[in-house]
């Protein structure tokens, strides 16, 4: 037992007591920095402010990104990693070297002001308070004049003034609502099955939020992995605060003004989702558990027989031998490799669950090698910590230790060789049964960059580091394929390794609505690859609820149905023929939209903007959207309005300003108003922004069943002038895109009176799909008389003839759509339709 761990244990108890008091600063005797006594520039952009009781670092990383750190007690600042309070050993931040940015400094008796091209940071001297202004001088964010940054024992907290018209968003996986005003949220990864809209905390911790006011947004990332909390005006109407029970008061301030600017910067700081394999964007079918092998094969066969597309089948805990990770139950799965390769021939990939708990069993290889390599968490006295999970007593790998992550990653060799391609990381809060804390003992020691810190500091990153070990291990074992990892618990930046799902939800209409809100909250917190258990994990949905949930699931990047054990079957065909037909069409829609979905996900991997975006995120100045989570944007161009209530055949939709098209009828609609959308049970209300060119493909039974052919671009004419949409394609699975083997186009449309031009423009990338048909559909195009391709007319034919010809165009009078067909591989042409 070392001294630091004793210290932490004693302080841990004090900290719990203090954190209970954190809402009452007066009673908790908070200290704050006092008056600035000296101000020094350590290097350009990096400044130190000393008071008699503390040191505050203010570092300008970019013109719109500033880091603030408080060191109570006048500490000198030792170099990393000696500082046990986390300095420069962030688990979240990946970008630490920023190019120099111009900062001008003014220093007077009241304040020091640091000004960049986008904002000013004002550090008031007496007492030390920080505020941020935009270049026009408006205050964007300010420390509370009375409290500001504080500490009490090992607790740290900052109070900020709260303008009455500011709204707060983000916070990762929060249920219930979009705007978090008037609420108190906690970050502490927790396994809470059948959670409710007010349950907090849940499985993931992303201590990052936005303030949006008068259409302008800033973000704050409080990079502290201890149990932290955010009081957004519950304690007081005029201030909000955030803090943690221990660790550094360190936060990043990000200025927009657009919410998208904040998110781009945040994901630059903490990293972005890598480009997923295309198959992981297909439909995924799970339950606890498909077992034995014959049942897995039966599920696969039924999908194909019923012509319902599906790419992935999951094996839950029962595939293992007594829940021992990295093993197979030989009776239920006697020949996994053969099963998986047979299923692969039929287009399926297999994903398996892995939990962190390694069964205590000296005849079990992972337990033995884990012990031998000192990979398990230990108590301060050096003994291996054990706790109950599915297998009974388990030891828990210390994923904060790089050598443990390597051991863990390498342990997937057998499963990878058997052909498994999806890695479902569960129970990694970590969840422990039958103990009051529901997790490992808070005193166990983690390596934590060699700093040997207690679980309290590492709890919230445990799941994230498990996914890191998994991702990196699979990356090494299967070097030519992009790994697909899915996790329940994670932290800020965990998107670098894994997609996320929202844990053990319930088959209810309320949970369907909650799933949308949670996915939106996660999306704007950096987790772009999100989904919820379609149909609900616990309980049995009606056919209608399942169908509606599946429709919403088309527009969650992870489209996975799952179910708890002991529930009735919930596959898409389990609700009678009428619903089977509806569900088939719903999943077909997902596959038809894959070219768009893949393009949106590729963009997310490069610039951090997620597929699912709350309306307020795209339209920050439209007050009507402040609290609205019942409709959302998917990428730049699709407005999705899922039906969230039983028996509905219509629903209200608020269309933002501009022109829109109803996806189902191709009818043009004026925005900036509320409409009532038709919502028969067979389909989800879906609207396309006027000016969009929507890429779609032929329906397939699984993503790589056939090359995309035809590739269709549906042109939704802009109101006037020009507009453009992105299109991205590659081989869908390898890393060759990183060497330029992709195909990217900015497809432009120009709308002139009596004429529309569609221009596929400059090719980017070297990926060459095989020869195929391109179809250009022009909505509202029935008046056109002539179509030219690169200046040459192409023949007008009947819609029937068009299907047999290589090139030509036709009008579908019932839909009012002009359809042109062109043989193509390189996508470089200009098409003009004229009246
Ligand atoms: C947890 C997971 C759930 C899984 C079950 C059995 O409850 O959240 O998805 O099916 O464990 O492994």
């Amino acid at each position: 037992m070392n001294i630091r761990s004793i210290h932490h244990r004693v302080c841990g108890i004090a900290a719990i007591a203090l954190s209970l008091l954190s809402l009452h600063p007066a009673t908790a005797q908070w200290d704050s920095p006092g008056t600035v006594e000296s101000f020094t520039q350590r290097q350009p952009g990096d400044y130190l402010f000393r008071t008699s009781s503390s040191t505050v670092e203010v570092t300008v990383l970019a013109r719109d990104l500033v880091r603030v750190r408080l060191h109570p007690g006048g500490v000198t600042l030792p170099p990393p990693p000696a500082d046990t309070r986390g300095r420069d050993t962030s688990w979240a931040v990946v970008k630490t070297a920023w190019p120099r940015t111009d900062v001008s400094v003014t220093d007077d008796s009241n304040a020091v002001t640091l000004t960049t091209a986008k904002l000013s940071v004002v550090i008031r001297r007496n007492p030390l308070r920080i505020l941020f202004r935009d270049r026009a001088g408006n205050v964007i964010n300010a420390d509370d004049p009375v409290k500001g940054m504080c500490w009490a024992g090992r607790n740290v907290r900052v109070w900020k003034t709260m303008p009455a018209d500011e709204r707060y968003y983000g916070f990762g996986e929060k249920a219930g609502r979009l705007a978090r005003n008037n609420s108190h949220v906690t970050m502490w990864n927790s396994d809470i099955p059948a959670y409710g809209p007010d349950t907090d905390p849940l499985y993931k911790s992303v201590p990052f939020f936005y303030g949006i006011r008068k259409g302008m947004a800033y973000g704050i990332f409080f990079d502290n992995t201890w149990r932290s909390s955010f009081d957004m005006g519950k304690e007081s109407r005029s201030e909000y605060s955030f803090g943690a029970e221990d660790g550094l008061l360190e936060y990043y301030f990000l200025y927009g003004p657009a919410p998208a600017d904040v998110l781009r910067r945040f994901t630059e700081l903490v990293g972005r989702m890598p480009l997923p394999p295309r198959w992981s964007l297909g439909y995924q079918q799970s339950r606890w558990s498909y077992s034995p092998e014959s049942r897995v094969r039966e599920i696969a066969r039924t999908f194909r027989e019923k012509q319902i597309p599906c790419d992935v089948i999951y094996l839950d805990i029962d595939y293992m031998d007594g829940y021992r990770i990295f093993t197979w139950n030989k009776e239920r799965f006697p020949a996994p490799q053969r099963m998986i390769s047979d299923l692969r021939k039929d287009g399926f990939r297999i994903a398996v669950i892995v939990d962190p708990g390694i069964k205590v069993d000296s005849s079990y290889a992972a337990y033995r090698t884990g012990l031998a390599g000192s990979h398990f968490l230990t108590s301060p006295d050096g003994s291996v910590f054990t706790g109950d999970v599915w297998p009974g007593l388990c030891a828990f790998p210390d994923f904060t230790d790089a050598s443990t992550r390597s051991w863990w990653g390498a342990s997937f060799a057998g499963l990878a060789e058997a052909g498994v391609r999806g890695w479902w990381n569960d129970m990694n809060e970590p969840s422990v049964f039958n103990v009051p804390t529901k997790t490992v003992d808070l005193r166990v020691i983690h390596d934590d960059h060699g700093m040997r810190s207690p679980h309290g500091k590492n709890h919230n990153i445990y799941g994230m580091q498990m996914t890191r070990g998994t991702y990196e291990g699979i990356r090494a074992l299967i070097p030519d394929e992009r790994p697909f990892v899915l996790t329940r618990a994670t932290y800020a930046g965990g998107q670098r390794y894994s997609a996320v799902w929202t844990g053990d939800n319930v088959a209810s209409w309320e949970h369907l609505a909650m799933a949308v809100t949670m996915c939106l909250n996660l999306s704007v917190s950096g987790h772009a690859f999100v989904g919820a258990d379609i149909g609900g994990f616990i309980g049995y949905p009606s056919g209608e609820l399942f169908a509606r949930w599946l429709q919403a699931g088309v527009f969650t990047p992870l489209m996975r149905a799952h179910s708890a054990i002991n529930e009735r079957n919930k596959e898409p065909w389990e609700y009678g023929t009428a619903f089977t037909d509806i569900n088939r069409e719903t999943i077909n829609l997902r596959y038809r939209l894959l070219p768009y979905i893949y393009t949106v996900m590729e963009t997310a991997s490069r610039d951090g903007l997620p597929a699912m975006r709350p309306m307020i995120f795209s339209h920050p100045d439209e007050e009507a959207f402040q609290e609205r989570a019942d409709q959302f944007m998917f990428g730049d161009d699709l407005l999705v309005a899922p039906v969230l209530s039983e028996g509905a055949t219509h629903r209200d939709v608020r269309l933002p300003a501009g022109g829109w098209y109803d996806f189902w009828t191709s009818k043009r609609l004026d925005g900036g108003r509320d409409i009532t959308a038709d919502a028969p049970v067979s389909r989800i209300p879906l609207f396309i922004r006027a000016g969009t060119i929507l890429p779609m493909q032929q329906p397939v039974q699984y993503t790589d069943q056939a090359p995309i052919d035809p590739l269709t671009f549906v042109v939704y004419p802009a109101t006037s002038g020009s507009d453009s949409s992105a299109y991205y394609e590659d081989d869908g699975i390898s890393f060759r895109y990183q060497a330029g083997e992709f195909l990217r186009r900015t497809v432009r449309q120009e709308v002139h009176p009596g004429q529309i031009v569609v221009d596929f423009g400059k090719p980017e990338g070297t990926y060459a799909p095989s020869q195929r048909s391109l179809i250009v559909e022009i909505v509202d195009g029935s008046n056109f008389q002539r179509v030219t391709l690169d200046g040459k007319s192409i023949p007008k034919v009947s819609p029937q003839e068009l299907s047999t010809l290589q090139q030509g165009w036709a009008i579908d009078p019932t839909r009012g759509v002009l359809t042109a067909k062109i043989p193509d591989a390189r996508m470089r042409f200009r098409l003009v339709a004229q009246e």
Side-chain angles (χ1 to χ4, degrees):
M1 179 170 344
N2 63 31
I3 298 200
R4 190 172 297 141
S5 60
I6 299 173
H7 172 76
H8 270 296
R9 190 163 56 183
V10 173
C11 287
I13 297 162
I16 291 167
L18 279 169
S19 69
L20 296 175
L21 297 172
S22 66
L23 294 182
H24 305 287
T27 44
Q29 292 173 330
W30 294 96
D31 285 321
S32 62
T35 304
V36 175
E37 291 176 352
S38 75
F39 154 60
T40 46
Q41 172 176 307
R42 272 197 300 202
Q43 45 185 306
D46 186 22
Y47 309 92
L48 283 187
F49 298 83
R50 289 183 202 277
T51 73
S52 61
S53 60
S54 63
T55 302
V56 173
E57 291 177 67
V58 178
T59 310
V60 179
L61 299 170
R63 57 199 186 138
D64 49 11
L65 177 64
V66 178
R67 184 182 62 214
V68 176
R69 282 175 175 163
L70 165 71
H71 300 273
V75 287
T76 50
L77 304 172
D83 181 346
T84 57
R85 301 193 68 159
R87 186 178 148 78
D88 287 341
T89 49
S90 167
W91 293 103
V93 170
V94 285
K95 180 156 177 170
T96 49
W98 294 81
R100 171 97 69 86
T101 186
D102 287 338
V103 182
S104 67
V105 182
T106 59
D107 182 4
D108 64 36
S109 54
N110 291 328
V112 175
T113 303
L114 315 171
T115 301
T116 74
K118 279 185 82 174
L119 53 69
S120 293
V121 193
V122 182
I123 298 96
R124 293 229 164 102
R125 287 174 176 279
N126 186 13
L128 190 156
R129 294 286 181 271
I130 298 180
L131 61 90
F132 299 88
R133 293 185 190 276
D134 65 15
R135 285 305 302 262
N138 304 308
V139 175
I140 318 165
N141 178 257
D143 283 356
D144 174 67
V146 179
K147 293 194 282 283
M149 292 188 282
C150 294
W151 65 94
R154 295 190 73 86
N155 277 251
V156 290
R157 198 158 195 91
V158 56
W159 276 263
K160 301 263 186 187
T161 57
M162 190 176 81
D165 56 348
E166 191 160 277
R167 295 281 175 286
Y168 304 101
Y169 302 93
F171 300 102
E173 187 182 58
K174 298 299 170 194
R177 289 188 291 146
L178 208 55
R180 302 309 307 192
N181 292 57
N182 205 5
S183 70
H184 186 86
V185 300
T186 299
M187 300 297 163
W188 185 254
N189 292 0
S190 306
D191 172 11
I192 307 188
Y195 51 84
D198 299 323
T199 308
D200 178 71
L202 289 170
Y203 307 91
K204 303 167 188 70
S205 292
V206 190
F208 166 68
F209 68 93
Y210 301 77
I212 302 186
R213 182 169 171 243
K214 299 193 196 307
M216 292 190 294
Y218 67 85
I220 287 182
F221 172 43
F222 177 42
D223 189 12
N224 181 311
T225 62
W226 293 83
R227 183 193 289 268
S228 61
S229 68
F230 296 73
D231 191 285
M232 308 316 286
K234 204 162 183 196
E235 177 187 338
S236 146
R237 293 258 162 220
S238 58
E239 62 205 16
Y240 70 81
S241 70
F242 55 90
E245 64 179 24
D246 202 331
L248 203 59
L249 177 47
E250 169 178 46
Y251 69 88
Y252 293 80
F253 182 86
L254 309 93
Y255 179 53
D261 298 332
V262 175
L263 187 51
R264 279 196 198 93
R265 234 352 156 209
F266 176 58
T267 52
E268 184 179 1
L269 184 68
V270 303
R272 297 175 176 139
M273 165 200 75
L275 180 62
R278 196 166 183 271
W279 59 262
S280 67
L281 300 175
Y283 176 69
Q284 311 194 5
Q285 183 66 48
S286 183
R287 88 157 284 140
W288 176 13
S289 293
Y290 291 128
S291 170
E293 170 176 335
S294 57
R295 178 66 179 148
V296 181
R297 288 179 184 270
E298 184 185 12
I299 291 292
R301 196 167 51 243
T302 312
F303 271 105
R304 297 298 179 245
E305 274 168 15
K306 296 193 179 290
Q307 295 275 295
I308 297 176
C310 181
D311 265 77
V312 188
I313 296 177
Y314 280 70
L315 304 183
D316 206 325
I317 47 178
D318 300 293
Y319 77 90
M320 294 180 268
D321 170 19
Y323 308 130
R324 289 172 187 82
I325 312 302
F326 315 119
T327 68
W328 290 94
N329 179 314
K330 292 275 160 39
E331 269 157 46
R332 297 197 195 112
F333 294 91
Q337 190 155 11
R338 196 179 56 217
M339 174 188 82
I340 295 174
S341 82
D342 287 352
L343 291 172
R344 183 79 271 279
K345 284 180 207 137
D346 217 359
F348 293 96
R349 284 180 170 86
I350 293 294
V352 299
I353 198 166
V354 288
D355 295 346
I358 298 289
K359 186 177 174 67
V360 173
D361 169 4
S362 53
S363 65
Y364 166 34
Y367 179 69
R368 282 202 315 270
T369 57
L371 266 190
S374 302
H375 294 308
F376 298 129
L377 292 175
T378 53
S379 297
D381 67 3
S383 60
V384 171
F385 169 81
T386 55
D388 270 332
V389 207
W390 303 122
L393 216 54
C394 289
F396 297 83
D398 178 9
F399 294 109
T400 70
D401 186 331
S403 73
T404 300
R405 289 196 301 273
S406 309
W407 160 80
W408 173 261
S411 305
F412 287 105
L415 291 171
E417 199 165 314
V420 173
R421 287 297 180 267
W423 313 95
W424 175 20
N425 288 204
D426 189 23
M427 306 298 278
N428 49 359
E429 293 68 30
S431 180
V432 177
F433 300 157
N434 310 324
V435 290
T437 55
K438 297 181 166 187
T439 191
V440 302
D441 192 312
L442 296 183
R443 293 165 301 186
V444 302
I445 302 299
H446 290 251
D447 174 71
D448 185 19
H449 301 105
M451 296 185 291
R452 311 227 4 107
S453 62
H455 186 68
K457 177 169 181 242
N458 298 281
H459 178 82
N460 284 340
I461 50 123
Y462 189 84
M464 177 198 196
Q465 295 310 307
M466 177 185 177
T467 63
R468 179 181 181 183
T470 307
Y471 182 89
E472 289 171 355
I474 298 305
R475 183 82 181 79
L477 287 166
I478 314 173
D480 299 332
E481 294 185 23
R482 304 172 206 161
F484 170 66
V485 181
L486 177 62
T487 191
R488 197 171 69 176
T490 192
Y491 182 68
Q495 61 268 16
R496 303 196 298 266
Y497 314 117
S498 179
V500 293
W501 99 102
T502 58
D504 296 345
N505 60 1
V506 178
S508 71
W509 290 92
E510 182 184 38
H511 263 267
L512 168 54
M514 279 160 60
V516 175
T517 311
M518 291 168 81
C519 287
L520 289 170
N521 290 341
L522 278 161
S523 293
V524 295
S525 305
H527 289 275
F529 200 172
V530 290
D533 286 352
I534 291 172
F537 177 70
I538 296 156
Y540 186 73
S542 66
E544 182 190 355
L545 175 57
F546 187 88
R548 290 305 198 186
W549 206 318
L550 198 62
Q551 289 165 3
V554 171
F555 301 99
T556 59
L558 176 80
M559 187 186 187
R560 187 186 82 137
H562 183 46
S563 169
I565 197 166
N566 295 332
E567 299 286 354
R568 287 165 62 187
N569 291 340
K570 298 182 193 170
E571 291 72 29
W573 54 80
E574 287 290 343
Y575 305 91
T577 8
F579 279 119
T580 305
D581 292 343
I582 289 172
N583 295 340
R584 178 187 304 106
E585 281 317 304
T586 298
I587 300 177
N588 275 336
L589 174 66
R590 170 81 174 200
Y591 281 76
R592 286 166 60 214
L593 285 171
L594 268 176
Y596 177 76
I597 294 171
Y598 193 56
T599 298
V600 168
M601 293 301 275
E602 195 273 336
T603 308
S605 74
R606 273 183 304 118
D607 82 355
L609 291 194
M612 292 180 74
R613 306 174 193 167
M615 299 305 299
I616 188 71
F617 193 81
S618 323
H619 303 84
D621 41 15
E622 282 202 36
E623 252 179 56
F625 290 139
Q626 279 175 351
E627 311 275 347
R628 252 184 119 149
D630 67 337
Q631 59 176 72
F632 59 92
M633 296 300 297
F634 190 93
D636 290 335
D637 300 328
L638 265 49
L639 190 164
V640 182
V643 174
L644 305 172
S645 55
E646 188 165 16
T649 52
H650 297 86
R651 61 152 287 175
D652 293 341
V653 178
R654 169 96 196 157
L655 294 177
W660 294 88
Y661 285 87
D662 182 320
F663 175 80
W664 300 105
T665 62
S666 301
K667 202 177 132 204
R668 202 192 139 90
L669 301 159
D670 288 329
R673 64 192 177 112
D674 297 311
I675 61 159
T676 302
D678 275 344
V681 69
S682 57
R683 65 193 200 206
I684 180 170
L686 179 61
F687 302 88
I688 318 291
R689 191 183 60 78
T692 298
I693 299 182
L694 180 68
M696 295 182 71
Q697 70 164 91
Q698 84 277 19
V700 281
Q701 292 303 295
Y702 51 95
T703 48
D704 51 6
Q705 184 183 24
I708 301 174
D709 187 11
L711 173 59
T712 300
F713 289 90
V714 190
V715 180
Y716 293 91
T719 309
S720 67
S722 64
D723 212 321
S724 65
S725 296
Y727 177 70
Y728 178 86
E729 186 180 347
D730 61 20
D731 68 18
I733 190 144
S734 80
F735 287 93
R736 285 198 281 273
Y737 72 93
Q738 291 176 344
E741 256 187 70
F742 58 79
L743 180 159
R744 181 178 293 126
R745 298 289 180 274
T746 302
V747 193
R748 285 171 57 80
Q749 57 168 292
E750 284 163 40
V751 178
H752 308 288
Q755 192 196 57
I756 188 162
V757 179
V758 180
D759 192 336
F760 281 78
K762 179 169 132 281
E764 269 184 78
T766 58
Y767 179 70
S770 47
Q771 186 73 28
R772 62 185 170 197
S773 289
L774 275 194
I775 289 184
V776 176
E777 288 189 359
I778 301 177
V779 170
D780 270 350
S782 53
N783 289 339
F784 292 117
Q785 306 292 333
R786 187 166 169 243
V787 173
T788 63
L789 183 67
D790 291 331
K792 293 194 196 92
S793 288
I794 57 172
K796 181 173 183 188
V797 296
S798 72
Q800 294 73 13
E801 280 172 298
L802 194 61
S803 58
T804 62
L805 288 176
Q806 288 217 322
Q807 184 165 304
W809 67 281
I811 298 278
D812 175 348
T814 49
R815 288 169 60 221
V817 170
L818 180 156
T819 305
K821 190 170 167 191
I822 305 145
D824 190 78
R826 287 293 292 160
M827 287 175 57
R828 188 180 188 179
F829 60 85
R830 187 180 158 90
L831 182 132
V832 181
Q834 284 165 303
E835 280 180 11

